[in-house]
Amino acid sequence: MGFDRSKLDALRSKYGEGHGGDIFDPRFRKVADKIFTKGGTRRAPYAGMPTLLSAPHLPVDFANPDFEDLQVALIGMPMDLGVTNRPGSRFGPRALRSIERIGPYNHVLDCAPTFDLRVADVGDVPFASRYRLEQSHEDIEATIAKIVGAGVIPLSVGGDHSITHPILKAIGKDRPVGLIHIDAHCDTGGLFDQTKFHHGGPMRNAVLDGVLDPSRTIQIGIRGSSEYLWEFSYESGMTVIHAEEMSAMGMPAIIEKARQIVGDGPTYLSFDIDSIDPAFAPGTGTPEVGGFTTREALELLRGLKGLNFVGGDVVEVAPQYDGTTNTAHAGAQMLFEILSLMVFSPAVKR
């Protein structure tokens, strides 16, 4: 084909003098109207105070909290007293806040969650002690209970995976919830070194506390040398999909299995960054080779659209083990995908 001068002239007429906010496709126009000013500018990703997913900041006094009309609260939990090996995920919330280009548009789920939802970064859990793990868990449970009591969905950023137990105690207080757990480890271990409160046992603790329904729990991506610790998962009735099974099953089948297991009941989503292969996310306390690519993790999360999510978390980002910031970037992206799912969750108040 020869060069089409008339088509070039038409493109120049339509696009040559416009600005970035001049978008004509109706699907994209509605997104641009939320993000661009009438003058054609949008917030610079590197400007302003850093917040989780660049969401608005809502200062909250948790002694007497006012969540205004929020639907979703993003909250940090900088606590890693429950790790078995490498510490450092206490810096996870700060690392995710520093990632400056996540969203605002999710082109696969076709939403802009920080604009489509009334969402804010409400800061961090006010911990009474930086040394006492059990006290920290009590602080988490009390804080999440206040968020849930106000009819707001909590999305938490850890911190080590032990934070999920007190979160589930607050969310599942009135009825046990289901769980989609994406991780390299089942985290259903027992008492170690004189305590059961560690990042290798939150799902076991939650089941025994009656706040997590194991028959509506699926654990995806499990691998590594700790398999001998996870018998509770099988004994209690959880569904476990090992990383070694994923290629044969295929992601569509895994997504369908997860949807079948949790059904339409209230469900929590917990994403441990070590589910992703350390080639993509090395900055974590217990890396395990043979995990998800970031593309596979995104496909899995996006396939959960429409489920009845009542909360979620991203945990175990330990940025000091990653000089590239890739792990924090991946963690922030997974948080964005979970927030995007909340646009479609029946649990979010309308």
Side-chain angles (χ1 to χ4, degrees):
M1 293 180 60
F3 182 72
D4 189 337
R5 174 63 66 174
S6 63
K7 183 174 182 179
L8 175 59
D9 290 341
L11 288 172
R12 283 173 171 169
S13 176
K14 187 172 184 178
Y15 293 105
E17 301 300 324
H19 56 64
D22 287 337
I23 297 173
F24 302 94
D25 185 307
R27 177 188 173 193
F28 299 135
R29 174 73 262 166
K30 67 179 183 179
V31 178
D33 285 343
K34 299 171 185 175
I35 297 170
F36 281 88
T37 68
K38 291 183 179 180
T41 62
R42 59 178 179 168
R43 177 184 173 184
Y46 49 82
M49 182 180 71
T51 62
L52 293 167
L53 304 182
S54 298
H57 177 224
L58 177 64
V60 172
D61 175 9
F62 284 100
N64 186 26
D66 179 5
F67 299 102
E68 299 183 356
D69 64 345
L70 287 188
Q71 294 169 301
V72 178
L74 301 170
I75 184 167
M77 299 186 181
M79 191 283 299
D80 61 4
L81 298 174
V83 298
T84 56
N85 185 26
R86 301 195 302 190
S89 58
R90 66 181 63 186
F91 294 103
R94 180 171 291 185
L96 264 63
R97 288 185 173 108
S98 72
I99 299 299
E100 73 281 351
R101 282 201 72 251
I102 301 294
Y105 180 52
N106 188 319
H107 75 284
V108 175
L109 297 180
D110 192 22
C111 64
T114 57
F115 293 88
D116 295 338
L117 294 167
R118 297 187 301 278
V119 57
D121 183 337
V122 299
D124 292 339
V125 169
F127 290 114
S129 172
R130 74 184 71 182
Y131 302 114
R132 299 177 60 198
L133 176 59
E134 287 85 349
Q135 176 66 59
S136 296
H137 283 189
E138 292 173 9
D139 295 336
I140 291 170
E141 182 181 357
T143 301
I144 296 300
K146 291 176 181 178
I147 294 173
V148 173
V152 181
I153 301 293
L155 293 187
S156 307
V157 177
D160 72 57
H161 217 156
S162 72
I163 70 169
T164 303
H165 175 214
I167 293 172
L168 288 173
K169 287 178 70 176
I171 290 179
K173 181 179 179 181
D174 296 327
R175 76 289 185 245
V177 299
L179 173 68
I180 296 177
H181 175 200
I182 303 168
D183 203 327
H185 314 99
C186 285
D187 293 348
T188 49
L191 185 146
F192 296 113
D193 295 341
Q194 304 179 48
T195 182
K196 65 179 181 179
F197 300 111
H198 50 75
H199 73 166
M203 310 316 174
R204 175 175 178 154
N205 293 337
V207 170
L208 295 177
D209 281 342
V211 297
L212 175 62
D213 182 351
S215 70
R216 293 186 56 240
T217 294
I218 184 168
Q219 303 182 300
I220 306 171
I222 308 304
R223 61 192 187 277
S225 59
S226 298
E227 177 69 21
Y228 68 98
L229 298 172
W230 312 138
E231 65 181 3
F232 183 88
S233 290
Y234 309 106
E235 181 74 16
S236 65
M238 296 180 179
T239 299
V240 179
I241 297 178
H242 292 87
E244 295 80 10
E245 304 173 75
M246 290 168 48
S247 295
M249 290 184 66
M251 196 59 70
I254 294 171
I255 292 168
E256 181 56 35
K257 186 68 173 179
R259 299 182 70 95
Q260 174 190 344
I261 291 295
V262 300
D264 59 3
T267 300
Y268 190 81
L269 201 166
S270 186
F271 192 101
D272 190 323
I273 202 68
D274 71 26
S275 64
I276 297 177
D277 192 277
F280 303 90
T284 189
T286 49
E288 299 278 5
V289 299
F292 287 104
T293 66
T294 47
R295 184 174 64 244
E296 290 170 333
L298 292 176
E299 182 181 358
L300 173 56
L301 289 175
R302 290 165 177 170
L304 306 177
K305 177 182 177 181
L307 293 180
N308 189 18
F309 288 117
V310 294
D313 62 48
V314 174
V315 299
E316 299 284 357
V317 173
Q320 66 272 44
Y321 304 113
D322 182 356
T324 67
T325 74
N326 282 359
T327 307
H329 199 143
Q333 186 67 50
M334 301 310 151
L335 182 66
F336 177 74
E337 300 299 327
I338 297 172
L339 180 62
S340 297
L341 293 174
M342 296 303 162
V343 175
F344 310 98
S345 172
V348 175
K349 63 182 181 182
R350 303 298 172 183

